Amino acid sequence: PFLLLSLSLSLSTFSQYQVGQLFSVAEASKNNTGGGEGIEVLRNEPYEKEGEKGQYTHKIYHIHSKVPSFIQMFAPEGALVFHEKAWNAYPYCRTIVTNEYMKDDFFIKIETWHKPDMGTTDNVHGLSQEVWEEAEVVPIDIADRTQVADDDYKPDEDPAVFHSEKTGRGPLGPGWKKELYSSDWPHMTAYKLVTVHFRWWGLQGRVEKFIHKQEKRLFTNFHRQLFCWIDRWVDLSMEDIRRMEEETQRELDQMRNQGSVRGMKAGDD
């Protein structure tokens, strides 16, 4: 099954989004690490291959308690460890998530195009007509409170309330997209194509539906944070970000073995 998520933002350039995105990834990783679970960074390095140039990362996600109980019941000990390999070559990014226990019976592929529009580009990934008709297209509004679960809501991470002291952006009203489109403010849209493959008799449809729901949840909450954290990252350079990533990698190694489990948990639906 294919899921296409599109989300528009008021940001000056792709490089500004990249800084904000990488800053927010580092912060979110720390917020979801502790008690023996969380994120382990194995590699974070530049790459260049077949004309594509960017940053390659390989991370391991230890998330036993963060998956639904109906999956925990069937998964043996050590099976709920996932490898994420990502090739970030803005404006195009590709992420592959795999599991050593399930091998070829499971993967999540996330392909992202960042475009200087307001979500108006159809089939930006160039899918065949058959696949495009099958894909579920979901536009996301980071200021829409109804798109956020009660358990995930945080007033200080609400773009409808937040105002940036450094940039003047926010709060975002109900018609912010139309206002942004008709103004001279710079803007962009991230188009994420999520492909899920899960082959396990009796669970396949339920798990694929669950993963699609969680990807939308993660994408929505993450970009609400990115927008509301703008005053913390807007003055940073890519050199600052790389130094921060090195520090975060060391912090995660310490945090994973301390305290209690932290961060977002999945429901059972």
Side-chain angles (χ1 to χ4, degrees), residues 44-109:
N44 183 2
E45 60 197 25
Y47 80 93
E48 187 168 359
K49 184 178 181 181
E50 299 176 356
E52 186 177 278
K53 185 177 181 180
Q55 194 78 5
Y56 168 75
T57 60
H58 180 186
K59 302 177 183 179
I60 298 179
Y61 287 76
H62 306 267
I63 57 171
H64 181 83
S65 71
K66 296 180 183 292
V67 302
S69 58
F70 73 85
I71 293 179
Q72 293 182 28
M73 289 170 56
F74 293 95
E77 178 143 3
L80 296 175
V81 174
F82 297 85
H83 286 255
E84 178 200 84
K85 296 181 179 180
W87 296 262
N88 296 313
Y90 287 87
Y92 176 72
C93 301
R94 180 175 67 260
T95 300
I96 306 290
V97 179
T98 57
N99 176 265
E100 292 182 351
Y101 174 71
M102 292 200 65
K103 302 188 185 320
D104 293 340
D105 289 333
F106 168 82
F107 71 80
I108 303 172
K109 180 168 63 174

Side-chain angles (χ1 to χ4, degrees), residues 40 79 136-137 148 164 241 243:
E40 177 182 358
E136 178 187 2
V137 180
V148 181
S164 167
I241 291 294
R243 283 194 294 271

Side-chain angles (χ1 to χ4, degrees), residues 65-204:
S65 71
K66 296 180 183 292
V67 302
S69 58
F70 73 85
I71 293 179
Q72 293 182 28
M73 289 170 56
F74 293 95
E77 178 143 3
L80 296 175
V81 174
F82 297 85
H83 286 255
E84 178 200 84
K85 296 181 179 180
W87 296 262
N88 296 313
Y90 287 87
Y92 176 72
C93 301
R94 180 175 67 260
T95 300
I96 306 290
V97 179
T98 57
N99 176 265
E100 292 182 351
Y101 174 71
M102 292 200 65
K103 302 188 185 320
D104 293 340
D105 289 333
F106 168 82
F107 71 80
I108 303 172
K109 180 168 63 174
I110 304 168
E111 300 169 274
T112 306
W113 274 107
H114 303 89
K115 297 291 184 180
D117 62 29
M118 286 298 295
T120 53
T121 304
D122 275 339
N123 196 10
V124 68
H125 294 86
L127 303 176
S128 68
Q129 189 62 34
E130 180 182 359
V131 173
W132 176 242
E133 290 176 356
E134 180 187 345
E136 178 187 2
V137 180
V138 180
I140 292 174
D141 183 345
I142 60 171
D144 184 356
R145 175 67 179 84
T146 65
Q147 296 190 23
V148 181
D150 290 342
D151 289 343
D152 292 336
Y153 180 77
K154 298 178 182 178
D156 59 343
E157 296 175 2
D158 187 348
V161 176
F162 170 78
H163 174 73
S164 167
E165 297 295 334
K166 291 185 178 180
T167 69
R169 294 183 175 97
L172 302 181
W176 73 272
K177 284 189 177 183
K178 290 183 179 179
E179 293 172 11
L180 182 59
Y181 183 73
S182 60
S183 72
D184 293 329
W185 279 82
H187 51 265
M188 58 158 287
T189 296
Y191 296 88
K192 286 189 176 288
L193 177 66
V194 181
T195 305
V196 178
H197 173 71
F198 183 91
R199 189 165 56 196
W200 192 326
W201 188 85
L203 286 177
Q204 181 168 340

